[in-house]
Amino acid sequence: MTSLSYPLIMAVLWSSIFIVIIYFCRKRNNFMQSFGVGSLIVLILGTVFRFLTPIEIPGAYVIPSANIYVELQRFLKMVVISCKDYSVNVLDLFNLTWLTAAVFLIVRLIAQYFRMVKLMSRIPSTERKQIAAALEKVKAEHSFGKNIKVICSTEISVPKIWGFFRPIIFLPNILYTDTELYYIIKHEFTHWLNLDIWIKFTVLMLCCVFWWNPLVYLLKKDLDQALELKCDFKTTSGLDKKSRLNYLAAIVKIAKSDLARPVSKPQREAFAVSEFTGGIAFESRILQRFNMVLSYKPDKKRQAVLTSAIIIIMATLMAFSFLFILQPYVPDSPIGDSESPLYDENGDRIIYYTPESTYLTKNADGTYNIYQNGEFLETIDADFAKGLMESRIPLYKK
């Protein structure tokens, strides 16, 4: 049987709380205008870090949970399959399902990437003077000397950029003005310069690992929107209102074209690079992009101060999240001591020992005696004692 990982539960719990906070911050335009999209991205990356660090630091304060946590543990330890000396509980089945699905999703994601690499090597660049002119203008602005491959196809629904090391821009095969094409290519290339593909791929891997947590998909959507806003701001930086309206008009044109095209699902999936870069979100998200582009007046000094404040607050909350750990505790113990060994309905032990009240002594035969509040409780084997000592229960000489 597998055991319940309390640090993992705390990591998921705290990260889920952060995701909810990020969601409400992302929806508020005044937050984005005051703090800047960089602050939101800092919160998102901090949340990803907390997801990936299910550790218990020495000295963490144990908070006993006598209600939901205990019932959860009892449910997870219910035996569903029993065969002679071997049994499988709910937690075992969950861990097996979790691992199997996570491996499958990760392998599928990686396989999709290599299929795209193979496919892209076979498709030639679209050679058009209009595209070449817009591309050279964007490259000159960023002093980028490497080749950028542009593929224009009817199989592509919205502009995207793909490639971790060599950028490939995908464009729908529709008519563009020179200005529209310039803004679209500049927007997508800005994504690549910002390393957005790497960030999004990291969050995709997180979604593969924590596929059972619906909040990770909310985090992915908020990240997509935050990166789009960041790219919008960089692309329109220094533009007057008329130029910003032209930029937004290009987005509207793409969105209308996408909605009007009767493209089948298999055709879309043939060029499904949105999993690496993301597409254009309509309705509330695209409206937010419009409002922010038209009204955004960055105060770089003020935003730098506020972003620093966000980093400090996030670091403080992150440190705080490691200082406490929830563990199940049943108050009506068989011995009458709130820190005595406890047993659930299946006879499995629920351990709630603290270094302040519990200690071990070693016997000559290799076993250990466990004491709590100065009273002998029982004799345990070396493996059980090792686990307690790893949990900072002290070993005293007789």
Side-chain angles (χ1 to χ4, degrees):
M1 290 187 180
T2 55
S3 59
L4 199 60
S5 174
Y6 302 120
L8 177 60
I9 292 177
M10 294 302 295
V12 173
L13 178 62
W14 276 103
S15 299
S16 299
I17 293 173
F18 292 151
I19 291 174
V20 174
I21 294 173
I22 290 169
Y23 172 75
F24 286 105
C25 289
R26 198 274 306 163
K27 291 193 68 176
R28 296 182 65 86
N29 288 350
N30 55 358
F31 174 88
M32 305 291 285
Q33 290 173 347
S34 299
F35 288 84
V37 69
S39 297
L40 188 67
I41 294 175
V42 167
L43 292 175
I44 293 173
L45 295 179
T47 301
V48 173
F49 173 78
R50 188 63 183 94
F51 256 122
L52 300 177
T53 52
I55 59 175
E56 180 181 356
I57 64 173
Y61 180 76
V62 177
I63 301 177
S65 173
N67 298 311
I68 298 177
Y69 218 6
V70 171
E71 295 303 320
L72 174 63
Q73 187 186 55
R74 286 177 176 172
F75 168 74
L76 293 175
K77 298 186 74 174
M78 288 177 53
V79 176
V80 292
I81 300 175
S82 180
C83 181
K84 294 183 180 180
D85 296 331
Y86 184 77
S87 61
V88 177
N89 58 29
V90 174
L91 181 60
D92 295 325
L93 290 179
F94 173 76
N95 288 338
L96 178 62
T97 305
W98 181 1
L99 178 63
T100 303
V103 170
F104 170 77
L105 292 173
I106 292 173
V107 170
R108 187 181 69 172
L109 186 64
I110 295 174
Q112 182 185 30
Y113 170 76
F114 283 107
R115 282 199 303 269
M116 287 297 299
V117 170
K118 187 176 181 180
L119 181 62
M120 292 307 99
S121 64
R122 297 176 179 176
I123 301 177
S125 297
T126 301
E127 301 296 338
R128 294 180 187 172
K129 291 182 178 180
Q130 185 189 33
I131 293 177
L135 191 59
E136 288 303 316
K137 184 177 179 181
V138 172
K139 289 171 62 177
E141 290 177 351
H142 297 282
S143 300
F144 189 80
K146 296 181 181 179
N147 183 46
I148 300 176
K149 189 174 184 178
V150 178
I151 298 175
C152 193
S153 171
T154 56
E155 301 293 333
I156 301 169
S157 58
V158 293
K160 310 172 191 292
I161 191 164
W162 187 86
F164 291 102
F165 304 102
R166 295 180 180 178
I168 302 175
I169 297 176
F170 297 87
L171 297 176
N173 192 17
I174 60 176
L175 294 176
Y176 303 96
T177 66
D178 293 345
T179 301
E180 289 170 346
L181 194 58
Y182 163 71
Y183 283 138
I184 291 170
I185 291 177
K186 183 176 181 180
H187 176 95
E188 296 305 324
F189 186 58
T190 301
H191 273 307
W192 191 82
L193 292 176
N194 290 342
L195 302 179
D196 291 349
I197 296 175
W198 291 92
I199 297 173
K200 289 187 177 184
F201 185 76
T202 300
V203 173
L204 271 174
M205 293 293 287
L206 184 72
C207 291
C208 291
V209 175
F210 292 95
W211 55 267
W212 47 268
N213 186 347
L215 289 178
V216 298
Y217 304 103
L218 179 62
L219 180 69
K220 178 182 177 297
K221 289 183 179 180
D222 286 337
L223 173 68
D224 289 344
Q225 182 71 349
L227 295 180
E228 287 298 332
L229 287 169
K230 182 182 178 183
C231 194
D232 286 339
F233 297 155
K234 283 197 172 184
T235 305
T236 60
S237 176
L239 298 181
D240 56 23
K241 188 173 183 179
K242 182 179 179 180
S243 297
R244 293 188 182 198
L245 287 172
N246 290 334
Y247 172 80
L248 295 175
I251 295 178
V252 171
K253 182 174 184 177
I254 292 296
K256 287 183 177 180
S257 174
D258 181 37
L259 292 174
R261 292 171 71 252
V263 182
S264 64
K265 185 176 180 181
Q267 286 176 313
R268 290 180 184 269
E269 290 179 348
F271 285 89
V273 294
S274 59
E275 291 185 346
F276 294 91
T277 60
I280 295 180
F282 204 61
E283 298 177 350
S284 63
R285 291 176 181 267
I286 202 169
L287 287 175
Q288 184 185 40
R289 290 176 63 185
F290 274 50
N291 291 330
M292 292 297 294
V293 168
L294 291 175
S295 62
Y296 187 61
K297 297 179 181 179
D299 185 340
K300 293 185 178 180
K301 291 183 178 180
R302 183 170 181 267
Q303 286 188 359
V305 172
L306 292 176
T307 301
S308 299
I310 288 291
I311 293 175
I312 294 173
I313 293 172
M314 189 64 181
T316 302
L317 288 174
M318 196 70 61
F320 182 81
S321 72
F322 287 102
L323 296 178
F324 302 90
I325 186 165
L326 286 171
Q327 287 190 7
Y329 158 62
V330 180
D332 53 341
S333 73
I335 301 180
D337 188 334
S338 62
E339 294 180 349
S340 300
L342 309 171
Y343 300 87
D344 63 17
E345 58 189 12
N346 297 314
D348 294 323
R349 169 165 292 179
I350 303 176
I351 301 175
Y352 183 67
Y353 297 127
T354 64
E356 294 77 16
S357 63
T358 309
Y359 65 90
L360 302 170
T361 61
K362 188 174 182 179
N363 300 318
D365 59 358
T367 61
Y368 292 78
N369 292 336
I370 184 168
Y371 295 83
Q372 195 166 71
N373 296 324
E375 297 183 4
F376 170 77
L377 295 181
E378 61 178 324
T379 299
I380 58 177
D381 59 28
D383 290 336
F384 187 19
K386 181 181 178 181
L388 291 176
M389 286 186 283
E390 289 177 351
S391 299
R392 304 183 304 279
I393 300 301
L395 173 65
Y396 294 155
K397 294 182 180 180
K398 289 186 178 181

